[in-house]
């Protein structure tokens, strides 16, 4: 396995995040269920590794979204559906944090979401998990607790667009590079994180916990 894939959070060049890839999550935010993959970019400067601190910016309502991250192990452009798995090095448990009030305001004005998604510490991330440890990434359980309460607990089999479709679609627009991360969407149950709260998230496969990440939320100074 390449160094770039194993150290994706240090050397990866982009984070590609999929929006509304679980129908119940789309509906809980009042959004239409997409007919084609929807994605946006996050800066790699938003990574923070576990254990760490999540910064809550002043005036922001910050929501958690627990996700399965796909780590790209082979650079490719216009990747065919049948070849998509050859470009996957492994996985990682991640959170896509969102300043929901900023996002809602931007959506109303037809503006980009970059500010709402791109703050420092807005992509809490776990360690690299080799693909061999998760033979079927569409059978993964993701969960998150905030202040001791379970908020999200769902299976990746509920994805609208599965991983090969996402890779095919993204790479038809931009080259996916070794070390890039694709965040594949979040199950229902998103909600706020407040300064002072402790956040714990986990990734399980066939009843075995493969990753657990923990963060303390603090006020951004």
């Amino acid at each position: 396995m390449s160094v770039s894939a194993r150290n994706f959070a240090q050397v990866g060049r982009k984070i590609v995040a999929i929006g509304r890839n679980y129908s119940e999550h789309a509906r809980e935010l009042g959004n239409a269920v997409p007919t084609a993959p929807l994605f946006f970019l996050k800066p790699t400067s938003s990574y923070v590794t576990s254990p760490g601190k999540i910064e809550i910016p002043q005036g922001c309502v910050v929501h958690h979204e627990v996700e399965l991250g796909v780590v790209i192990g082979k650079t490719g452009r216009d990747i065919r559906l049948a070849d998509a798995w050859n470009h996957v090095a492994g996985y990682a448990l991640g959170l896509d944090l969102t300043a929901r009030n900023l996002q809602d305001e931007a959506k109303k004005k037809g503006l980009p979401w970059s500010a709402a998604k791109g703050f420092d510490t807005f992509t809490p991330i776990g360690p690299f998990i080799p693909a061999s440890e998760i033979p079927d990434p569409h059978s993964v359980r993701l969960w998150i607790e905030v202040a001791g309460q379970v908020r999200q607990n769902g299976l990746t089999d509920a994805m609208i667009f599965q991983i090969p479709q996402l890779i095919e679609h993204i790479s038809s627009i931009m080259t996916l590079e070794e070390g890039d991360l694709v965040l594949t969407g979040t199950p229902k149950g998103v909600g706020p994180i407040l300064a002072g709260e402790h956040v714990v998230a986990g990734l399980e496969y066939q009843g075995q916990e493969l990753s657990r990440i923990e963060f303390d939320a603090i006020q951004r100074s």
Side-chain angles (χ1 to χ4, degrees):
M1 184 56 58
S2 71
V3 173
S4 294
R6 288 191 178 277
N7 299 305
F8 70 94
Q10 288 74 44
V11 302
R13 298 182 64 181
K14 60 183 173 291
I15 302 167
V16 185
I18 307 298
R20 307 176 193 172
N21 201 24
Y22 291 72
S23 58
E24 291 185 348
H25 168 61
R27 293 190 182 102
E28 75 180 342
L29 295 182
N31 295 317
V33 176
T35 57
L38 163 69
F39 72 86
F40 52 92
L41 299 178
K42 300 189 69 168
T44 55
S45 55
S46 66
Y47 279 135
V48 59
T49 56
S50 173
K53 297 186 185 302
I54 293 168
E55 297 179 355
I56 308 297
Q58 294 285 347
C60 289
V61 178
V62 176
H63 279 198
H64 56 79
E65 300 180 14
V66 64
E67 311 206 8
L68 174 66
V70 176
V71 180
I72 299 300
K74 178 183 176 184
T75 296
R77 176 185 176 191
D78 294 325
I79 299 167
R80 294 179 299 172
L81 194 69
D83 293 333
W85 293 119
N86 295 326
H87 293 262
V88 176
Y91 305 96
L93 172 62
L95 304 181
D96 172 22
L97 301 186
T98 307
R100 191 70 71 194
N101 56 328
L102 297 187
Q103 185 190 42
D104 289 345
E105 183 179 344
K107 285 163 62 177
K108 288 176 184 177
K109 296 178 180 178
L111 299 174
W113 304 348
S114 298
K117 295 283 190 175
F119 283 100
D120 289 351
T121 77
F122 266 32
T123 310
I125 197 72
F128 175 79
I129 303 169
S132 60
E133 294 190 21
I134 306 179
D136 180 8
H138 300 110
S139 297
V140 167
R141 179 173 298 279
L142 303 169
W143 58 267
I144 184 170
E145 293 182 0
V146 178
Q149 295 187 335
V150 176
R151 295 277 188 84
Q152 293 179 272
N153 186 359
L155 292 171
T156 54
D157 65 358
M159 287 185 193
I160 299 170
F161 304 105
Q162 295 194 332
I163 291 166
Q165 294 172 282
L166 299 177
I167 290 174
E168 180 182 53
H169 179 72
I170 296 164
S171 69
S172 74
I173 297 167
M174 62 184 66
T175 299
L176 280 171
E177 300 167 288
E178 185 179 356
D180 286 350
L181 183 74
V182 178
L183 292 173
T184 56
T186 193
K188 68 175 181 178
V190 303
I193 298 172
L194 304 177
E197 292 184 322
H198 188 63
V199 178
V200 184
L203 181 158
E204 299 174 7
Y205 182 69
Q206 295 185 341
Q208 180 182 0
E209 185 175 275
L210 298 184
S211 187
R212 176 182 288 245
I213 56 178
E214 299 192 36
F215 300 90
D216 289 313
I218 63 171
Q219 195 70 51
R220 176 170 173 155
S221 57

